[in-house]
Amino acid sequence: MRRLTRSCILAITALTALLLAPTVGATQIRRGMAVDSNVVVKIWNPSGSLKLVAWDRDSLHVEGTGPKWAAFFFGGGRNGAKFGIDEEKTKGELPKVALVVYVPRASRVSAKTVDATIEVEGVSGYYTTVSGDIRVTGALRELQVESLRGASEVEVRAPWVRIMGGEGDVTIRGAIEDLAAATVAGRLTADVTGAARARLETMTGALTSHVAVQANGSIELDSHAGTVELVLDPNARVDVDATSVAGKIDNQFDKRRPLPGRGGKGMSFAFATDPSGARVVVRTYKGTIIVRRGA
Amino acid sequence: MTHLTDELLDTAADGDALAPTDAEHLRACAECQTNVERLRALRGRLAALPQALPTDGDLWPTVHGAIRARRRRRLVFTSSFGLALAAALLIAVVRIGNGPGAVPPGTETSAELAELKALAPPVVVEAMAANLTIYDAALRELEAFAASERENADVQQRIEELRRKRAALLRLASNS
């Protein structure tokens, strides 16, 4: 009996130690305040993760965990708040902090990270990172995303979206009226409906555009050396003008043949399914242009 | 009231679309409107400055001829024309000294990255180095093409656009 009791005590002690282990040396963040529904929020979380969630309350709430030496700052009033990790106090080392932030749906957030991932659900704003990945979903009023090295994935309903990527891939889906996106070496893929204006650019990354554009709208695709794939629905009403200075054009949409460029360099291809349809301009320096049918 | 950042003022001066909230602010804020007008005026003055000299070909005969003409005419260098010519000659001589391409490849980028090191963390500098290398390789490629096809306006336009985008990327890095 005594042996059994001792075993039980040992087991309970071990279990308690195990349960407490992750929180030893960790700091818990839990802050909140009442704010206006259209509050402006600035967040700085260099490393770890940041999750932003829109909610239908007039308050701001932050939860998080990180190492004990991570210095968290938090301040502001009803119409503006600013919080994050105080880098000055961390002596150059970036603490990995996981933050989850709840903000009013009509708020406008500006969040910056170094390598922390950013995940956003339904919050309008400006999100920028050096090498973290960014994922944004939901219905927004406006969105601006920048990542030098990380991947960006955007699946939204929004009137205005701007995305700038470097080496990371950029994937865009949803219904967007005014869209501009660019990468340097990353692959850029857009599968978008309801566009009045779309401008997509890469330097060396491949570009695929399956953008359903409004009748009086326009699409501009541009790449220096990346392959540009223009995907058009069979019933698309478009006026297409494609030119590659030194690259090829491959028309898989119909049987028309693109023309060789001046002096045999490059190619050009122009056709219209509806001359008064949406204007589609494709330009590359040496990247191949492929025009094909979508589903 | 929070005014537009320098980057947004730049964007507005370029005539590019601002986010709806920023555009709304600009419409209502006289101070930001003045700043945008100032930027536009500055750009206008910059655009009116003499264009850079071509970077390819042997410029020495031109330079030599200019020097001889200068001696003959005893051009007064304190005049604005004299100063402009002196600056142009200096640039031409430096370019001839370095051969085609004006600035040795990578020098400009190295200087920009060195500047960036003072402003941004190493991870940003590293990411920028990779991105700028791609831009610079593309620019060299386009400049070589433009040299062989001088009438190709599309390529000249691409070069200008690429330079503008490269500058935008540097601005983005400075903000990181």
Side-chain angles (χ1 to χ4, degrees):
Chain A
M1 183 67 184
R2 188 183 278 180
R3 182 182 274 181
L4 188 66
T5 313
R6 198 182 292 159
S7 299
C8 276
I9 290 169
L10 275 172
I12 289 165
T13 311
L15 190 66
T16 311
L18 197 68
L19 285 172
L20 286 175
T23 58
V24 170
T27 188
Q28 298 288 325
I29 298 160
R30 186 178 281 266
R31 297 291 293 269
M33 63 194 280
V35 291
D36 291 342
S37 61
N38 60 351
V39 63
V40 175
V41 181
K42 288 193 173 182
I43 307 168
W44 169 235
N45 184 26
S47 194
S49 65
L50 171 65
K51 184 174 180 178
L52 277 157
V53 184
W55 70 2
D56 297 313
R57 298 181 193 182
D58 285 351
S59 62
L60 167 70
H61 182 73
V62 188
E63 281 180 10
T65 55
K68 213 154 200 169
W69 49 276
F72 182 74
F73 67 89
F74 185 93
R78 286 202 70 95
N79 58 4
K82 193 172 180 177
F83 59 87
I85 304 304
D86 192 342
E87 213 180 326
E88 302 268 311
K89 294 181 183 169
T90 58
K91 295 172 187 171
E93 199 181 339
L94 300 179
K96 287 206 180 297
V97 177
L99 285 182
V100 181
V101 182
Y102 297 86
V103 293
R105 199 167 294 284
S107 62
R108 192 184 192 210
V109 174
S110 166
K112 281 190 178 189
T113 80
V114 176
D115 61 22
T117 57
I118 303 177
E119 193 184 338
V120 182
E121 287 172 21
V123 185
S124 295
Y126 170 43
Y127 307 105
T128 177
T129 174
V130 179
S131 57
D133 293 342
I134 301 181
R135 182 174 154 73
V136 185
T137 56
L140 316 169
R141 291 190 317 283
E142 62 194 47
L143 173 69
Q144 196 168 350
V145 166
E146 288 167 358
S147 178
L148 277 174
R149 288 205 133 157
S152 305
E153 195 183 344
V154 169
E155 189 168 359
V156 295
R157 267 185 297 119
W160 192 90
V161 172
R162 295 289 179 272
I163 303 172
M164 190 163 171
E167 295 161 88
D169 293 347
V170 170
T171 308
I172 308 157
R173 280 186 294 267
I176 301 168
E177 259 178 65
D178 185 344
L179 166 68
T183 71
V184 179
R187 168 180 272 279
L188 172 54
T189 309
D191 195 344
V192 170
T193 58
R197 181 176 171 272
R199 180 170 174 79
L200 308 171
E201 299 171 77
T202 71
M203 280 296 297
T204 58
L207 191 166
T208 301
S209 162
H210 186 189
V211 176
V213 63
Q214 295 171 14
N216 56 351
S218 70
I219 303 175
E220 288 173 62
L221 310 177
D222 192 292
S223 181
H224 176 75
T227 297
V228 175
E229 206 176 1
L230 170 66
V231 185
L232 296 169
D233 290 333
N235 59 351
R237 296 170 68 181
V238 288
D239 181 359
V240 178
D241 173 13
T243 309
S244 180
V245 176
K248 290 178 182 170
I249 300 180
D250 178 9
N251 176 27
Q252 301 170 6
F253 184 76
D254 56 24
K255 290 184 176 173
R256 278 172 278 217
R257 286 191 175 179
L259 300 170
R262 201 175 41 186
K265 282 180 189 167
M267 289 181 108
S268 64
F269 181 46
F271 74 99
T273 59
D274 177 355
S276 59
R279 178 113 177 102
V280 180
V281 177
V282 189
R283 295 277 181 269
T284 71
Y285 170 65
K286 63 177 183 183
T288 299
I289 298 171
I290 299 169
V291 184
R292 70 171 175 85
R293 271 170 199 267
Chain B
M1 179 166 51
T2 312
H3 291 295
L4 297 184
T5 61
D6 289 346
E7 198 179 329
L8 291 171
L9 291 171
D10 254 352
T11 307
D14 280 343
D16 290 340
L18 290 172
T21 318
D22 295 326
E24 199 177 307
H25 172 85
L26 184 61
R27 275 195 295 276
C29 176
E31 194 178 329
C32 285
Q33 283 168 12
T34 308
N35 284 333
V36 169
E37 284 314 313
R38 273 189 196 142
L39 273 174
R40 282 187 182 144
L42 179 65
R43 283 170 192 194
R45 287 203 295 276
L46 284 172
L49 286 174
Q51 294 296 302
L53 290 173
T55 58
D56 53 325
D58 185 6
L59 294 174
W60 176 241
T62 317
V63 175
H64 190 60
I67 292 169
R68 286 182 66 181
R70 170 181 158 264
R71 278 180 186 155
R72 274 200 305 274
R73 282 185 237 138
R74 295 181 182 279
L75 191 67
V76 183
F77 258 72
T78 46
S79 73
S80 57
F81 176 73
L83 283 172
L85 182 62
L89 289 176
L90 182 66
I91 294 164
V93 169
V94 169
R95 285 180 173 185
I96 288 165
N98 288 328
V103 178
T107 307
E108 201 182 336
T109 308
S110 305
E112 285 161 343
L113 290 173
E115 258 177 53
L116 195 60
K117 268 181 194 168
L119 297 168
V123 65
V124 176
V125 180
E126 201 182 300
M128 279 306 294
N131 287 320
L132 287 181
T133 303
I134 292 170
Y135 270 98
D136 292 344
L139 273 169
R140 279 197 296 274
E141 203 168 15
L142 286 172
E143 279 166 353
F145 191 90
S148 65
E149 301 228 350
R150 288 180 188 278
E151 306 96 68
N152 197 325
D154 281 358
V155 174
Q156 290 296 345
Q157 197 183 335
R158 289 193 81 82
I159 291 173
E160 292 308 312
E161 274 178 24
L162 221 59
R163 286 192 181 135
R164 193 172 45 81
K165 286 177 202 165
R166 190 182 182 281
L169 193 71
L170 274 166
R171 276 206 300 272
L172 164 65
S174 310
N175 289 338
S176 295

